[in-house]
Structure formats: C-alpha cells, structure tokens
Amino acid sequence: MSESAAENTLAEQIAAQLRRDILRGKLPPDTAIKERDNAAELGVSRTPMREAIRILAQEGLVVLRPSRSPIVARPTVKEVHDQVVVLLALEKLSAQIACERATEVDLSRLAELNEQIAEAYDHVDALDLFEMDMAFHRLIAEAAHNEALAETHHAYLARLWRARFLSATMRRNRERVVSHHGAIMNALRARDPEAVDAALDQHLSNLAEDISAAIEAENAEAERAGG
Amino acid sequence: MSESAAENTLAEQIAAQLRRDILRGKLPPDTAIKERDNAAELGVSRTPMREAIRILAQEGLVVLRPSRSPIVARPTVKEVHDQVVVLLALEKLSAQIACERATEVDLSRLAELNEQIAEAYDHVDALDLFEMDMAFHRLIAEAAHNEALAETHHAYLARLWRARFLSATMRRNRERVVSHHGAIMNALRARDPEAVDAALDQHLSNLAEDISAAIEAENAEAERAGG
DNA sequence: CAACAATTTTTGGTATACCAAATCAGAAAT
DNA sequence: ATTTCTGATTTGGTATACCAAAAATTGTTG
C-alpha cells in the first residue's frame, strides 16, 4: 500500500490520470496519445507528459513506435495469456515463500480484507470491488517479504488490470471469489505449501481462459467497428 | 544478443553508457548522478540525461530520491538474494514451458552457444565470457516463446548482472559452467521437465549464496573505505 | 486517371531557460 | 562552543523553443 500515496510529480499525476482513463476504457486500444495535444488538453507542457507516457509504456499500457504517436496498447490474446501465466507463477511462488515467512499480521490483514470483500460484494461497484480483489492478491505477494517479487507481481497485476476487469465483469460470481479467497487464506494459515498451491490453482486456473475470451470479444468488437 | 542493436535515441545511448560504467564498477555504488553535471560532462542537455536516469532507475541500477541527486544503487544482500530467487523461478518456469514449446532451432542455438562458451572459456576476458553466459540463459527464457516471461527474465538478469559478475570472477570454474550448461541443454533436448528442473537447480542453487558473499564483500569494503 | 515527386505538416527528440523546494554554510546569539 | 536562523546555492521539476525526420498531401506529369 505504499505507492498509491504520493504522486509527487506532475508526470506521475498525469500518468495516473491516463492510466485510469485507459483501464476504464475511456481511452480504448489504438487511441493515439500525442505529446503535444494531450499536454495542451491537460494544460501542462510536453515534458511531464512525455515522462508520463514513458511510465505507461514501461507498464505495457501504451506502446511507443519510432516516429509515431504512442498508442494505447491492444494486447493480443496470446500476449495476455502469456502474462497471466507469469502472474500465476509469481503468485504461486509468493504463496510458497509466504508459507514460511508470513507474519501473523500478514495473515490477519488477509482475513480482514477477505471479510470486507465478502461484505461489500453486493453493495459496491465492479471497479471498487476489483481494487479490493487486487489488494487481496497483493497481500499474498507481500506476505513473502521479498520486495522484488512483490514489485514484479504488482506490475503484472497492474498490467493485467483491464483484462482481468473485463473478464470479471463478464462472469461475476460472489461465491467463487469469496470461497476461493478463503481457501487460499486457510492454506496459508496452515502454512501448507501444497494446499496453497492447490488453492491458487483452483482460483486462477480458469483465469487465463476467461481473460482470453474477454480480450477476444473486445478485439472482435474493434474489428467490426474500426476495420 | 538482440538488444544491443538499436540504441536509437540519445537517452538510450546515455543509458547504455551509464549502465556499462555502473556494471563495470567505474561508477561504484553511492555515486551521485547529477543531471546537470553528467549531462555537461557528456556534452548533452539535461533532457536526455534525465530520461536515461529514469531508464536506469527502472532497471534498479540507480535509485531516485525526492529532491536529491539519484545515486548508483547499493543493493543489500537481502535485496540481491530476493532477486536471485525470482530470477531462478522465472528461469525454471521458462525451462518447463520450453520443454513443450522449444523449437529445434532454439535447441541448436543453445548447443552452438554452449560450444562457443566451452571453446572461448580460457581465451576470453571475464566480461565477454559473462555476456555469453547471460546469452545462454536468455536463450532458455526465449525458448519458452512467452514474450512477457522472456522480458521479465531479461530484466532480472540485467539487474543482477553486476552481482553475478562479481560472484563469477570470484570463483571462475570452467568445468562447472560448461558441464552444467550441457546438462540443462540435454534435459531440454529430452523435453524432460523434471530433469530440466534438476539441472537448473544444480546450476543455480549456489548462485544465491555466491552472490550474497560477493555483495557482502563489496559492501564491507565500502564500509571500510567510506566510513 | 494513375503514379510519382516535391512540399508542407506533423511528430518526437533535444536544448535551454525558469522556478520552487530543499540543503548547506555562515553568522549571530546564547 | 553550540545552536539556530537566515540567505545563498544547488537540485530536480517544468515550460518553452528549436530541430530533424517521417508522413501526408498536393500538384504535376505520364
């Protein structure tokens, strides 16, 4: 929970703004992000806008093309699938390590959040719910107390945010999420590596296919409209 | 060996230059990288220098501090160790996937490179040798044909370059490297996931400790010198 | 009418100038 | 001698101006 705080510099604020717009679909894939125009639109200079674009490019949300405007990324199904594979591996590794290293505080935070999710599930909009889900998975990664791992895991989670969001809104299922989270939690509590692995597999095994379907649908839509 | 090509923009060239200086020890840990001074020194403006610094910060080679000059990172033993753990996991995952997905071309490239390494081992300086070793491990990552995975793996390899280099020069051992590489290769050839896992474990198991020792030595040295 | 070439325009890349905040040094007071 | 306050200086952050390369457009020619 360390990064959502500051947003010190203008560039970071711009990046955050653009990130939200991209992830929420206000800036759909293939949209050009011109340094000049977007900077003018926000009333800032090109310098921080440029830096913001680099940040998002680093995150994989926009793609830089030589001598061309950067555009909002349109990940292919394979790309997203590949990223999910890595995310899954990172989370499993985190959980394995967490079986040894997780503190009681880590575990109770996890429990608390899971309870919050269960409670909020029906009252809260999809976006906020998704933030909570993301936080849950981040807590797992952080419970391994391996900063590099947590950071990389978070980067993948962020990069896959939109895809996961699309997928989740398509098949929102309270029971699945809450009970799966509970299973993961209990396995961690028991510090049982194999149970953790199984629980994560159970929770995330269909993720790749779900996401792929969502992306495929969106891309097909775009093809019909723009092509 | 695919990325050393382009280096289109000035910022990238500067980043490459600084990266080399850092990794080769010309810019030791804690050295300040002032935008103004370094830019002037290289005869460029602050803009690309600034961008170059961001690139290196992203790679973990320099750390940005609010309202302070960026400095060359001095990773702690724990940080490096944590990174090695992730690197190892990424490489193992790559190899597992590669058992299914590796093409004949991938495998023969691997074989060829291993032969080159064996041949060059005694004639070539440590730095070049290390580039080759790095390339070998990158080939493994690339054989999984998962771009995200290869990219992240490469990022970790690059970030750990200096630490691995320190470690390797401390205990240079021809037989170990070549035969281990050979074992990994053969396991991949056989497309045997368990054998691959074992071979990678064999090759990389001591890496974490070796690297930790090297880093510890360097940091102790710095402590003695710098107060 | 099509194809090609030159010009105009748009774009990102770079240099420079300006600003505010944070640090450091020096002087003064205790 | 120590501490504190203040001002000079250094730093990164931002804005703006300039440049070169690459598209796009338009005009000409076959």
Side-chain angles (χ1 to χ4, degrees):
Chain A
M1 307 268 145
S2 49
E3 98 293 13
S4 59
E7 257 144 49
N8 292 310
T9 80
L10 233 192
E12 283 165 358
Q13 295 174 39
I14 297 170
Q17 172 73 41
L18 288 177
R19 191 183 297 116
R20 284 215 315 278
D21 291 348
I22 292 173
L23 292 175
R24 305 202 171 198
K26 185 178 169 188
L27 295 176
D30 289 341
T31 306
I33 315 259
K34 308 182 189 182
E35 289 188 1
R36 276 181 175 75
D37 297 3
N38 281 64
E41 200 169 312
L42 289 175
V44 301
S45 79
R46 283 178 58 204
T47 312
M49 172 61 70
R50 178 183 175 79
E51 192 169 326
I53 291 174
R54 299 311 160 113
I55 293 174
L56 296 178
Q58 197 296 313
E59 294 176 3
L61 289 178
V62 312
V63 310
L64 268 37
R65 312 171 296 179
S67 307
R68 271 299 207 312
S69 292
I71 60 175
V72 177
R74 174 188 298 286
T76 67
V77 173
K78 178 181 187 312
E79 283 166 355
V80 174
H81 183 272
D82 284 351
Q83 290 165 16
V84 171
V85 167
V86 179
L87 173 66
L88 182 55
L90 292 171
E91 196 154 326
K92 279 178 148 188
L93 175 62
S94 301
Q96 292 298 307
I97 299 174
C99 282
E100 292 180 11
R101 293 244 219 312
T103 66
E104 290 306 315
V105 176
D106 294 332
L107 294 173
S108 52
R109 277 200 192 123
L110 222 41
E112 189 185 346
L113 183 53
N114 190 37
E115 210 160 307
Q116 278 182 27
I117 292 176
E119 187 184 320
Y121 206 101
D122 300 311
H123 312 307
V124 150
D125 82 343
L127 230 46
D128 293 329
L129 194 63
F130 217 67
E131 297 282 6
M132 297 174 86
D133 182 77
M134 184 152 156
F136 183 85
H137 288 277
R138 285 194 68 184
L139 280 182
I140 294 175
E142 287 166 6
H145 297 277
N146 177 325
E147 200 174 319
L149 178 53
E151 200 175 293
T152 303
H153 173 269
H154 177 51
Y156 270 89
L157 215 47
R159 182 189 289 210
L160 284 168
W161 203 98
R162 177 157 175 69
R164 299 201 318 137
F165 177 66
L166 286 176
S167 155
T169 48
M170 279 176 91
R171 49 158 70 199
R172 185 164 170 163
N173 183 330
R174 183 181 195 283
E175 280 330 303
R176 195 174 63 160
V177 170
V178 174
S179 75
H180 284 188
H181 282 186
I184 295 168
M185 236 185 49
N186 289 334
L188 278 173
R189 265 247 154 73
R191 300 181 183 278
D192 178 343
E194 287 171 22
V196 163
D197 212 78
L200 276 175
D201 262 330
Q202 174 79 8
H203 184 48
L204 298 176
S205 62
N206 292 326
L207 185 62
E209 286 82 27
D210 288 0
I211 286 182
S212 293
I215 294 292
E216 226 152 34
E218 191 184 53
N219 284 354
E221 175 79 21
E223 189 125 344
R224 194 172 336 121
Chain B
M1 306 238 172
S2 54
E3 99 288 15
S4 58
E7 259 144 48
N8 292 310
T9 79
L10 233 192
E12 283 164 358
Q13 295 174 37
I14 297 170
Q17 172 74 42
L18 288 177
R19 191 183 297 116
R20 284 214 314 276
D21 289 348
I22 292 174
L23 292 175
R24 305 200 172 198
K26 185 177 168 188
L27 296 176
D30 289 340
T31 305
I33 314 261
K34 308 182 190 181
E35 287 188 3
R36 275 182 176 76
D37 297 3
N38 281 64
E41 200 167 313
L42 289 175
V44 300
S45 79
R46 282 178 58 205
T47 312
M49 172 61 69
R50 178 184 175 78
E51 192 168 327
I53 291 173
R54 300 312 162 112
I55 292 174
L56 297 179
Q58 199 292 315
E59 294 175 3
L61 289 179
V62 312
V63 310
L64 267 37
R65 312 172 296 178
S67 306
R68 272 298 206 316
S69 292
I71 59 175
V72 177
R74 173 188 298 285
T76 67
V77 174
K78 177 179 189 311
E79 283 167 353
V80 174
H81 182 272
D82 284 352
Q83 291 166 15
V84 171
V85 167
V86 179
L87 172 66
L88 182 55
L90 292 171
E91 196 155 326
K92 278 178 148 189
L93 175 62
S94 301
Q96 291 299 307
I97 300 174
C99 282
E100 292 179 10
R101 293 245 209 337
T103 66
E104 290 306 315
V105 175
D106 294 331
L107 294 174
S108 53
R109 278 200 191 123
L110 223 40
E112 189 185 344
L113 183 53
N114 189 37
E115 209 159 309
Q116 278 182 28
I117 292 176
E119 186 184 321
Y121 206 100
D122 299 312
H123 312 306
V124 150
D125 82 343
L127 229 47
D128 292 330
L129 194 63
F130 216 67
E131 297 282 6
M132 296 173 88
D133 182 78
M134 183 153 158
F136 183 86
H137 288 277
R138 285 193 68 184
L139 280 181
I140 294 175
E142 286 165 7
H145 297 277
N146 177 325
E147 200 175 319
L149 178 54
E151 202 175 293
T152 302
H153 173 269
H154 177 51
Y156 270 89
L157 216 46
R159 182 189 292 210
L160 285 168
W161 202 98
R162 177 158 174 69
R164 299 202 317 138
F165 177 67
L166 286 176
S167 155
T169 47
M170 279 177 87
R171 50 157 71 200
R172 184 164 171 165
N173 183 330
R174 184 181 195 281
E175 280 330 304
R176 195 175 64 161
V177 169
V178 174
S179 74
H180 284 187
H181 283 186
I184 295 168
M185 236 185 47
N186 288 334
L188 278 173
R189 264 248 154 73
R191 299 181 184 278
D192 179 343
E194 287 170 23
V196 163
D197 213 77
L200 276 175
D201 261 331
Q202 174 78 10
H203 184 48
L204 298 176
S205 62
N206 292 327
L207 184 62
E209 286 81 26
D210 288 1
I211 286 182
S212 294
I215 294 293
E216 227 152 33
E218 191 184 53
N219 284 354
E221 175 78 21
E223 190 125 345
R224 191 168 343 117

